[in-house]
Amino acid sequence: MSGSLGPDFDAALVAVMGDLAREIDALHASLIEERMALGQADPQALEAAGRAKGKLLDRIEKLDVERRQLGDAAGIDSLLDPRWVHTLERLGECRQMNEVNGRIVAQRMGHIRQALAVISGESPGGSTYGRNGVAKVNLRSATLAQV
Protein backbone atom coordinates (compact mmCIF):
# COMPACT_ATOMS: atom_id res chain seq x y z
CA MET A 1 0.00 0.00 0.00
CA SER A 2 1.01 3.57 -0.42
CA GLY A 3 2.88 5.06 2.49
CA SER A 4 0.83 8.27 2.06
CA LEU A 5 -2.21 6.57 3.52
CA GLY A 6 -0.54 6.35 6.88
CA PRO A 7 0.77 3.54 9.01
CA ASP A 8 -2.51 3.12 10.92
CA PHE A 9 -4.48 2.51 7.74
CA ASP A 10 -1.88 0.12 6.39
CA ALA A 11 -1.76 -1.77 9.70
CA ALA A 12 -5.56 -2.06 9.76
CA LEU A 13 -5.68 -3.31 6.18
CA VAL A 14 -2.85 -5.78 6.79
CA ALA A 15 -4.68 -7.07 9.88
CA VAL A 16 -7.95 -7.56 7.97
CA MET A 17 -6.14 -9.18 5.05
CA GLY A 18 -4.33 -11.51 7.46
CA ASP A 19 -7.58 -12.47 9.16
CA LEU A 20 -9.21 -13.07 5.78
CA ALA A 21 -6.29 -15.21 4.64
CA ARG A 22 -6.53 -17.37 7.78
CA GLU A 23 -10.30 -17.77 7.45
CA ILE A 24 -10.01 -18.66 3.76
CA ASP A 25 -7.34 -21.25 4.58
CA ALA A 26 -9.69 -22.68 7.22
CA LEU A 27 -12.49 -22.74 4.61
CA HIS A 28 -10.18 -24.65 2.28
CA ALA A 29 -9.55 -27.24 5.02
CA SER A 30 -13.28 -27.44 5.75
CA LEU A 31 -14.03 -28.12 2.08
CA ILE A 32 -11.46 -30.94 2.10
CA GLU A 33 -13.19 -32.39 5.18
CA GLU A 34 -16.53 -32.06 3.42
CA ARG A 35 -15.17 -33.93 0.38
CA MET A 36 -13.84 -36.71 2.62
CA ALA A 37 -17.20 -36.97 4.38
CA LEU A 38 -18.91 -37.21 1.00
CA GLY A 39 -16.49 -39.92 -0.08
CA GLN A 40 -17.11 -41.90 3.09
CA ALA A 41 -20.87 -41.23 3.04
CA ASP A 42 -20.57 -40.09 6.67
CA PRO A 43 -23.63 -37.95 7.47
CA GLN A 44 -22.34 -36.76 10.86
CA ALA A 45 -19.01 -35.63 9.42
CA LEU A 46 -20.82 -34.03 6.48
CA GLU A 47 -23.12 -32.12 8.81
CA ALA A 48 -20.17 -30.95 10.93
CA ALA A 49 -18.26 -29.83 7.85
CA GLY A 50 -21.32 -27.99 6.57
CA ARG A 51 -21.77 -26.15 9.88
CA ALA A 52 -18.07 -25.22 9.96
CA LYS A 53 -18.25 -24.03 6.35
CA GLY A 54 -21.27 -21.85 7.11
CA LYS A 55 -19.58 -20.21 10.10
CA LEU A 56 -16.42 -19.58 8.11
CA LEU A 57 -18.36 -18.04 5.24
CA ASP A 58 -20.12 -15.71 7.69
CA ARG A 59 -16.78 -14.58 9.15
CA ILE A 60 -15.25 -14.19 5.68
CA GLU A 61 -18.19 -12.04 4.59
CA LYS A 62 -17.83 -9.76 7.64
CA LEU A 63 -14.09 -9.40 7.12
CA ASP A 64 -14.59 -8.66 3.43
CA VAL A 65 -17.06 -5.90 4.30
CA GLU A 66 -14.42 -4.43 6.61
CA ARG A 67 -11.79 -4.71 3.87
CA ARG A 68 -14.04 -2.90 1.41
CA GLN A 69 -14.85 -0.18 3.95
CA LEU A 70 -11.15 0.42 4.54
CA GLY A 71 -10.55 0.57 0.80
CA ASP A 72 -13.47 2.94 0.25
CA ALA A 73 -12.25 5.22 3.04
CA ALA A 74 -8.83 5.42 1.40
CA GLY A 75 -10.18 5.56 -2.15
CA ILE A 76 -8.32 2.41 -3.21
CA ASP A 77 -9.13 -1.10 -4.37
CA SER A 78 -7.39 -3.28 -1.81
CA LEU A 79 -7.78 -6.32 -4.08
CA LEU A 80 -5.01 -4.84 -6.21
CA ASP A 81 -2.57 -5.07 -3.30
CA PRO A 82 0.11 -7.63 -4.26
CA ARG A 83 0.00 -9.08 -0.73
CA TRP A 84 -3.52 -10.29 -1.56
CA VAL A 85 -2.57 -12.55 -4.52
CA HIS A 86 -2.16 -15.82 -2.57
CA THR A 87 -5.45 -15.32 -0.71
CA LEU A 88 -7.33 -14.65 -3.95
CA GLU A 89 -5.83 -17.79 -5.49
CA ARG A 90 -6.86 -19.82 -2.43
CA LEU A 91 -10.35 -18.34 -2.63
CA GLY A 92 -10.57 -19.50 -6.26
CA GLU A 93 -9.55 -22.99 -5.17
CA CYS A 94 -12.28 -22.91 -2.52
CA ARG A 95 -14.90 -21.91 -5.07
CA GLN A 96 -13.83 -24.75 -7.36
CA MET A 97 -13.83 -27.28 -4.52
CA ASN A 98 -17.27 -26.13 -3.37
CA GLU A 99 -18.66 -26.52 -6.89
CA VAL A 100 -17.30 -30.07 -7.13
CA ASN A 101 -18.73 -30.95 -3.71
CA GLY A 102 -22.07 -29.49 -4.82
CA ARG A 103 -22.05 -31.63 -7.96
CA ILE A 104 -21.36 -34.73 -5.85
CA VAL A 105 -24.30 -33.88 -3.58
CA ALA A 106 -26.57 -33.26 -6.59
CA GLN A 107 -25.57 -36.58 -8.12
CA ARG A 108 -26.29 -38.43 -4.89
CA MET A 109 -29.66 -36.72 -4.57
CA GLY A 110 -30.48 -37.84 -8.11
CA HIS A 111 -29.65 -41.43 -7.16
CA ILE A 112 -31.87 -41.20 -4.09
CA ARG A 113 -34.75 -39.81 -6.15
CA GLN A 114 -34.37 -42.67 -8.62
CA ALA A 115 -34.37 -45.22 -5.83
CA LEU A 116 -37.46 -43.65 -4.26
CA ALA A 117 -39.21 -43.71 -7.63
CA VAL A 118 -38.47 -47.42 -7.99
CA ILE A 119 -39.65 -48.13 -4.45
CA SER A 120 -42.88 -46.17 -4.95
CA GLY A 121 -43.62 -47.94 -8.24
CA GLU A 122 -43.11 -44.90 -10.45
CA SER A 123 -40.84 -44.94 -13.43
CA PRO A 124 -37.48 -43.39 -12.58
CA GLY A 125 -37.10 -40.00 -14.18
CA GLY A 126 -40.81 -39.98 -14.96
CA SER A 127 -42.55 -36.74 -15.61
CA THR A 128 -44.80 -35.10 -13.05
CA TYR A 129 -47.05 -33.91 -15.87
CA GLY A 130 -49.34 -35.96 -18.10
CA ARG A 131 -49.57 -35.70 -21.90
CA ASN A 132 -52.24 -33.01 -21.58
CA GLY A 133 -49.96 -30.81 -19.44
CA VAL A 134 -51.90 -31.36 -16.23
CA ALA A 135 -49.91 -32.28 -13.13
CA LYS A 136 -50.12 -35.95 -12.20
CA VAL A 137 -51.14 -36.58 -8.64
CA ASN A 138 -50.39 -40.04 -7.33
CA LEU A 139 -52.33 -40.47 -4.12
CA ARG A 140 -52.34 -44.26 -4.09
CA SER A 141 -50.37 -46.35 -1.72
CA ALA A 142 -48.73 -49.42 -3.08
CA THR A 143 -47.95 -52.57 -1.17
CA LEU A 144 -44.22 -53.00 -1.25
CA ALA A 145 -44.15 -56.40 0.41
CA GLN A 146 -46.34 -58.81 2.35
CA VAL A 147 -45.25 -60.83 5.31
Side-chain angles (χ1 to χ4, degrees):
M1 298 270 59
S2 168
S4 64
L5 296 174
D8 291 340
F9 171 81
D10 194 53
L13 185 59
V14 167
V16 169
M17 289 169 60
D19 290 345
L20 266 166
R22 282 185 291 283
E23 296 298 327
I24 290 170
D25 284 342
L27 177 63
H28 189 270
S30 177
L31 288 164
I32 290 170
E33 290 174 14
E34 183 179 61
R35 174 81 54 83
M36 291 172 56
L38 284 166
Q40 297 169 352
D42 183 344
Q44 288 83 15
L46 187 57
E47 185 177 335
R51 277 194 310 271
K53 183 172 72 169
K55 288 177 184 176
L56 287 165
L57 288 171
D58 288 344
R59 288 195 301 253
I60 289 168
E61 178 63 29
K62 288 175 186 172
L63 287 166
D64 191 54
V65 167
E66 189 175 345
R67 178 200 57 81
R68 283 181 282 159
Q69 288 172 342
L70 284 169
D72 290 347
I76 63 163
D77 183 357
S78 59
L79 289 179
L80 300 177
D81 189 312
R83 297 173 289 190
W84 191 242
V85 171
H86 171 74
T87 302
L88 289 175
E89 289 171 354
R90 179 56 61 105
L91 192 57
E93 292 170 15
C94 288
R95 181 173 32 107
Q96 189 175 33
M97 290 171 66
N98 193 53
E99 288 172 0
V100 169
N101 289 356
R103 285 193 296 269
I104 291 169
V105 169
Q107 183 181 37
R108 298 239 172 103
M109 287 175 57
H111 293 160
I112 290 169
R113 284 189 188 106
Q114 287 176 340
L116 288 172
V118 168
I119 290 170
S120 66
E122 298 173 11
S123 61
S127 174
T128 58
Y129 295 94
R131 290 183 183 176
N132 61 1
V134 177
K136 291 182 189 177
V137 179
N138 186 358
L139 298 177
R140 68 174 174 81
S141 295
T143 303
L144 298 178
Q146 288 184 335
V147 183

